[in-house]
Amino acid sequence: MNNSPACFDHFVREFTRVVDEATGDEAQVLAKGGALLADLVSKDEWLPEQYAQPHPQYYQQYLLHADPDNRFSVVSFVWGPGQKTPVHNHTVWALIGMLRGGERAENFALGEPGQPMRALGVDVLSPGMVESLSPTTGDIHRVSNLYEDQVSISIHVYGGNIGRISRHVFDAQSSALKPFISGYSNESEL
Ligand code: FE
C-alpha cells in the first residue's frame, strides 16, 4: 500500500508473526489473526482514500499487502450501493472484518449436478465484526452490500495471493461452476 499508515504496518507485522508461528495450523491463524483483524477494524480512520473508492458499476478489491511468500494477502473490499458478488469460492482460508456500512453473506453448498445449490444461511456483518471462512468447512458464498444507498467497506485477509488464485464462480440454479481469477482493482500500481 502507498502511504501505509502505522496501524496497518503494525497489523501486517503482527499477522506475519502469527503465520510464521502457526506453521500451517489454519485454526491458529484464524483465531490469532482474527483477533488482530478485529483490532484493525475497530478503528476507522486509517484506510487511505485511494483504497476506499467505489466504482459506479463494480465492487472494488484493492490489494493492500501481499506476503512475499504468498502465504496471505490483505484486501480492501469496497461496495458501491446495492453491489453484490456472484456465488464464488476461495480455495484458501479467509478472514473478513467489517470497517464501514454493512455486508450480507449468503452461504451455499453444491447441489447434485444440474440441481440448485443448497442455501446454508445468511450472515450479516456490521462495523467491528469479523467472520472467517475455510475450504475445510465450506467456503462458497454470495456477498452483497447491505445498503442500497451507501458505500460499505470490509477488510479481507486470505490464505494466499487471492487475486492470482484460480477459483470458481457458481450458478446457484444448476450448481454448475466455472473458473475465475479475480485480479485486483489497483493492478496498475502493483
Ligand atoms: Fe468471498
Side-chain angles (χ1 to χ4, degrees):
M1 186 198 305
N2 294 332
N3 308 317
S4 188
C7 71
F8 185 77
D9 289 343
H10 174 77
F11 170 79
V12 167
R13 265 198 313 278
E14 292 294 302
F15 209 104
T16 301
R17 197 166 58 80
V18 164
V19 170
D20 284 342
E21 291 175 0
T23 59
D25 181 340
E26 182 183 284
Q28 194 174 324
V29 171
L30 293 178
K32 293 187 174 175
L36 294 173
L37 183 59
D39 187 46
L40 183 70
V41 298
S42 70
K43 313 173 269 289
D44 180 14
E45 78 293 333
W46 56 270
L47 183 65
E49 267 303 301
Q50 69 190 106
Y51 305 114
Q53 296 300 318
H55 180 280
Q57 206 172 349
Y58 306 107
Y59 58 88
Q60 300 289 283
Q61 300 160 88
Y62 299 102
L63 180 65
L64 305 182
H65 174 77
D67 174 63
D69 296 324
N70 285 333
R71 296 173 302 170
F72 70 99
S73 56
V74 187
V75 172
S76 66
F77 217 100
V78 183
W79 304 96
Q83 290 175 348
K84 64 164 68 171
T85 68
V87 180
H88 65 276
N89 70 357
H90 309 80
T91 73
V92 291
W93 57 258
L95 285 162
I96 297 139
M98 202 73 219
L99 188 69
R100 288 176 208 167
E103 200 174 275
R104 181 171 186 272
E106 303 162 82
N107 303 305
F108 293 92
L110 275 176
E112 296 298 318
Q115 297 300 307
M117 298 182 77
R118 288 187 295 121
L120 298 180
V122 174
D123 297 314
V124 172
L125 292 185
S126 46
M129 288 175 69
V130 170
E131 181 187 77
S132 65
L133 280 177
S134 166
T136 60
T137 52
D139 72 332
I140 303 176
H141 65 183
R142 173 169 56 206
V143 187
S144 51
N145 190 345
L146 193 58
Y147 298 104
E148 297 287 338
D149 58 356
Q150 72 176 74
V151 171
S152 292
I153 302 178
S154 51
I155 304 300
H156 298 198
V157 189
Y158 298 97
N161 190 347
I162 193 69
R164 303 287 177 257
I165 291 175
S166 180
R167 44 198 178 121
H168 294 98
V169 291
F170 300 85
D171 180 335
Q173 297 313 311
S174 70
S175 295
L177 70 166
K178 61 181 184 194
F180 107 108
I181 297 175
S182 60
Y184 296 111
S185 304
N186 56 333
E187 291 287 353
S188 61
E189 72 176 53
L190 303 179

